Amino acid sequence: MTIPALLQLDLERALFEEDMVAGLSASPKATPPKWFYDAAGSALFAEITRLPEYYPTRTEMALLQDRAGEIAGAVGAERWVVEYGSGSAAKAVRLLKALDAPAGYLCVEIDPGAARATAAEVARAFPGLPVKGVAGDFTALEGELAAGVPPRLGFFPGSTIGNFAPDEAARLLADMRRHLGPGARLVLGADLIKDPATLEAAYDDAQGVTARFNLNLLARANRQLGADFDLDAFGHRAVWNAEAARIEMHLVSRRAQTVTFGSRAFAFAEGETIHTESSYKFDRARIEALAARGGWRVERFWTDADEAFSISLLG
Ligand code: SAH
Ligand code: AVI
């Protein structure tokens, strides 16, 4: 069944509102990071990937370039590639170039503009390759994918897995295994634990792009839900939580204030925060344990020379 575009927008708005209401009613306040990515949020994320402090994107791109031949050799020929949360086509193009006779490409991406642009760029780079961009939520995968023939190759780069708490991440990997079907493999990018100063700088850059990305959640609520967040009344905070092995992003209320949307009012104390994102960091043992909880086994594990970022091949 195809849902008409306008109805899809209404549905998306309703789900966004539901999550914001639940998140702002909780104690402590916390919202899911997937709502960062409307058109403005995706553009800000693209800017983040080019920041000197944000090492993950360039490190993973280089690692992918270095290891693409080995990945291709390990996964074999004629795979349908299914990417989760593509953002841009850059990493998929790099992987597809190395693969032996890829059979097709599909991305599941929550931002419809990014889903369309990724599919268009992959189609341009590989004329004749069957390509599909699906605007959808990869946390709501149902059963096995209809497109393409198994065995498929999942691609989940960028350390987006780190934006999920361990239980959710394990469930997501299990859902991907079902979605990809029998004989699947998964190429998983995961950022590694390192010194706190490097991590905190990557999430609190000197130009303030990450701050704008974080605040875009409130700007989006104003645009889409008619909320009245005063963006100057909230600050950006990124902090390394060593015990949980995660960077936390928060929006900090600069003063006591009340924010309204619809018929609802949400009170903030001065200094109270909304926990808007966690970015868990890993080591090999943590990735192996997480993969096992999702029903996968780590077959290969690669890092760059500085051990800043990792790519694993799960089977
Ligand atoms: N893979 C890219 C982009 C990472 S940013 C890279 O490695 O640079 C995370 C991407 O995942 C964004 O494009 C965002 O829109 C998408 N995304 C986040 N949560 C999602 C969800 N629940 N379902 C589908 N896409 C999601
Ligand atoms: C998409 N995700 C893996 C990014 C990260 O590093 O956690 C999102 C991001 N948040 C702030 N900067 C980048």
Side-chain angles (χ1 to χ4, degrees):
M1 187 183 67
T2 315
I3 303 172
L6 273 178
L7 198 61
Q8 234 167 36
L9 274 182
D10 280 349
L11 185 65
E12 183 204 75
R13 187 193 170 286
L15 293 171
F16 178 35
E17 181 161 19
E18 194 176 280
D19 278 357
M20 287 302 284
V21 168
L24 297 180
S25 308
S27 182
K29 293 178 169 64
T31 50
K34 67 182 174 192
W35 299 114
F36 283 136
Y37 301 95
D38 62 353
S42 290
L44 284 165
F45 179 75
E47 232 181 286
I48 287 174
T49 65
R50 296 188 288 268
L51 290 169
E53 296 95 333
Y54 195 74
Y55 62 86
T57 309
R58 60 174 174 275
T59 310
E60 189 183 32
M61 279 293 269
L63 188 54
L64 202 53
Q65 179 75 20
D66 290 349
R67 303 298 186 167
E70 285 175 58
I71 296 171
V75 303
E78 295 179 21
R79 292 260 177 171
W80 259 83
V81 175
V82 182
E83 181 171 14
Y84 301 101
S86 56
S88 89
K91 290 175 186 170
V93 167
R94 195 157 281 192
L95 178 67
L96 285 162
K97 269 193 182 146
L99 290 180
D100 184 6
Y105 170 82
L106 178 141
C107 65
V108 185
E109 165 56 61
I110 203 161
D111 172 12
R116 263 195 309 276
T118 300
E121 204 177 324
V122 170
R124 222 178 4 258
F126 301 93
L129 186 78
V131 171
K132 232 170 124 81
V134 176
D137 185 342
F138 59 55
T139 61
L141 301 171
E142 281 169 15
E144 190 186 330
L145 180 68
V149 194
R152 305 186 180 95
L153 176 64
F155 186 38
F156 194 25
S159 206
T160 303
I161 189 69
N163 296 139
F164 295 88
D167 285 353
E168 297 168 337
R171 197 174 324 124
L172 184 56
L173 290 180
D175 286 350
M176 287 177 179
R177 209 164 68 85
R178 266 192 299 279
H179 192 238
L180 292 166
R185 295 270 190 40
L186 179 70
V187 173
L188 176 72
D191 196 12
L192 298 176
I193 296 169
K194 56 186 61 62
D195 67 285
T198 302
L199 286 167
E200 286 183 351
Y203 291 83
D204 194 5
D205 62 281
Q207 293 171 56
V209 182
T210 311
R212 280 192 282 138
F213 174 74
N214 199 3
L215 283 161
N216 181 56
L217 181 76
L218 307 187
R220 181 180 187 179
N222 288 351
R223 283 191 296 269
Q224 253 185 302
L225 308 178
D228 63 354
F229 283 103
D230 173 359
L231 300 197
D232 293 329
F234 287 87
H236 167 71
R237 179 186 295 159
V239 62
W240 172 242
N241 177 337
E243 202 183 325
R246 69 187 190 205
I247 282 278
E248 294 178 6
M249 288 208 316
H250 293 261
L251 288 165
V252 189
S253 180
R254 295 192 200 277
R255 50 175 162 80
Q257 57 183 318
T258 300
V259 175
T260 62
F261 54 92
S263 55
R264 300 167 195 275
F266 299 96
F268 288 82
E270 183 182 346
E272 186 178 359
T273 79
I274 313 172
H275 181 178
T276 50
E277 185 189 69
S278 291
S279 203
Y280 284 81
K281 306 300 171 188
F282 302 88
D283 51 28
R284 185 174 182 155
R286 283 167 203 258
I287 292 167
E288 283 174 349
L290 180 60
R293 288 184 64 196
W296 297 88
R297 194 172 63 81
V298 176
E299 294 181 342
R300 303 288 303 270
F301 180 79
W302 298 278
T303 74
D304 54 297
D306 296 332
E307 303 195 348
F309 202 92
S310 70
I311 293 178
S312 301
L313 179 64
L314 312 188

